[in-house]
Amino acid sequence: MSKLKFGIVGCGVISKTHASAISALSNDAELVAVCDVVEEKARKLAQDFGVKRIYTDYEKMLLDSEIDVVSICTPSGMHADMAVLAADAKKNVIVEKPMDITLSKADKIIEAQNRNNVIISIISQHRYSDCMQLLKKLMNEGKFGNIVLATSYTKWYRSQEYYDSGSWRGTWDLDGGGALMNQSIHYIDMIQWIVGRVSEVFAYCTTRAHNKIEVEDAAVACVKFENGAIGEIVGTTSAYPGFETRLEIFGENGSAIAVNTQLKSLYFKDGSENEYLESYKKEEDGPAGASSAAIKEEGHLRQYRDVINSIKTGTKPLIPAEEGRHPVEIILAIYLSSLTGKPVKLPLESDIEILERITQIKGKGF
């Protein structure tokens, strides 16, 4: 198969990371079209990456027979509608996180993927880091033994100006949530992917430092895992000036701590950590509390390479559409727990109750 031709829809900040990943894989990929309802944004991205075809109408871009893959970088609440249209046009799809902001919309993406026999992959670039790959391997090998406690911390900072920079930011309708849905989702995905599926949450969410947003700027959740472990998920966009993300795993036979996808601590009772550390390639830390503009491109590049290989070989990527659903479900369960004051069991049967309760607090914050 020759080069795969890509089109990007949504030419905001994160689109540059996607375009750079495509450009870095020039032997296998080419960015041939960009689309945004704001023509100036589309023209700027096109100019920066040498793209000739510019669209302001997404459905017209989907008629472009040369495009093999569509990368969706629009506001979160638009992801499913656009992904379904692309899949029905027989395009493969890469969707920025979160895949969408409700389970019903997430399920529509999965159904479109299966109905059209196309590949839809949801961005979760940290899964491709050497650190997270090693922790997943160690977990699969049972090196930690029974997991006792696992924690995920995302203590970042976003100014009011950040939320004011786009009318959709900090809204339930298009952002779908705040510190959890937009920022902490990365490490929420890591904890459930490495440690195991979550079976129950009890949570508190609040809006304390940003008085112009509808969504949470801080959240704390106690979690139970299906394997019997307990844990904690903490996320905020109010920790000035922004601090690192942390994933901590404590098992009966060993412990591990990752900071900004860099393995900081690894210990096993049998003293075998050195054999793993010797082969572990140290990665450069990303900036603490990184904004979209500061996100390292290596993770996206690895995910793009994986998706391209999957399309060419007919195999599943590491993160097909159904994998992107898990962190969204956990986050919605956390919101529901905070709004009801009760523990919430997973899997959620539907998101009807949480959507009804969110409607009641729109415009107010938690």
Side-chain angles (χ1 to χ4, degrees), residues 6 36 52 62 106 109 115 143 168 182 193 213 239 245 260:
F6 284 77
D36 198 290
K52 295 181 179 179
L62 292 180
I109 295 178
R115 178 174 67 248
K143 285 294 295 183
W168 62 278
N182 215 311
W193 180 58
I213 66 174
T245 49
N260 294 346

Side-chain angles (χ1 to χ4, degrees), residues 139 144 146-153 191 195 223 225 227-232 247-252 254-256:
M139 187 68 65
F144 296 103
N146 287 326
I147 303 302
V148 179
L149 178 70
T151 59
S152 164
Y153 300 126
I191 200 171
V195 178
V223 302
F225 296 89
N227 59 21
I230 59 174
E232 183 181 36
L247 177 67
E248 301 177 349
I249 300 170
F250 305 103
E252 61 176 340
S255 303

Side-chain angles (χ1 to χ4, degrees), residues 9-146:
V9 57
C11 299
V13 174
I14 197 62
S15 66
K16 296 176 183 178
T17 301
H18 287 254
S20 294
I22 296 166
S23 297
L25 298 169
S26 57
N27 289 336
D28 297 301
E30 181 182 359
L31 181 60
V32 298
V34 297
C35 177
D36 198 290
V37 292
V38 179
E39 186 174 353
E40 182 180 349
K41 289 184 178 181
R43 289 196 176 280
K44 179 64 168 64
L45 187 67
Q47 180 180 352
D48 289 347
F49 290 90
V51 177
K52 295 181 179 179
R53 296 206 288 283
I54 297 169
Y55 294 92
T56 56
D57 186 322
Y58 178 57
E59 294 191 29
K60 286 184 179 178
M61 188 180 85
L62 292 180
L63 295 175
D64 189 332
S65 60
E66 190 178 9
I67 295 175
D68 303 301
V69 191
V70 174
S71 298
I72 297 176
C73 302
T74 52
S76 305
M78 302 170 68
H79 288 177
D81 292 341
M82 289 187 159
V84 170
L85 284 174
D88 286 344
K90 307 305 179 185
K91 313 290 188 186
N92 300 288
V93 187
I94 294 176
V95 185
E96 250 303 334
K97 59 76 192 166
M99 64 188 300
D100 206 282
I101 58 177
T102 70
L103 294 182
S104 55
K105 284 193 169 185
D107 288 338
K108 288 181 180 179
I109 295 178
I110 297 169
E111 291 164 3
Q113 170 190 255
N114 299 337
R115 178 174 67 248
N116 292 288
N117 194 30
V118 295
I119 285 175
I120 300 181
S121 184
I122 313 303
I123 289 291
S124 186
Q125 71 272 23
H126 296 324
R127 286 200 191 190
Y128 293 86
S129 73
D130 295 336
C131 171
M132 297 305 174
Q133 287 286 321
L134 175 58
L135 292 179
K136 179 69 170 177
K137 176 178 182 289
L138 294 172
M139 187 68 65
N140 289 344
E141 291 178 356
K143 285 294 295 183
F144 296 103
N146 287 326

Side-chain angles (χ1 to χ4, degrees), residues 32 78 82 88 112 115 117 134 153 162 175 182 188 277 284 290 296 298 302 319 350 352 357 362:
V32 298
M78 302 170 68
M82 289 187 159
D88 286 344
R115 178 174 67 248
N117 194 30
L134 175 58
Y153 300 126
Y162 163 83
D175 224 355
N182 215 311
I188 292 172
L277 292 173
E284 180 184 353
K296 289 170 58 181
E298 179 63 24
R302 292 183 183 188
I319 313 172
S350 75
I352 294 175
R357 289 183 177 272
K362 281 185 178 179

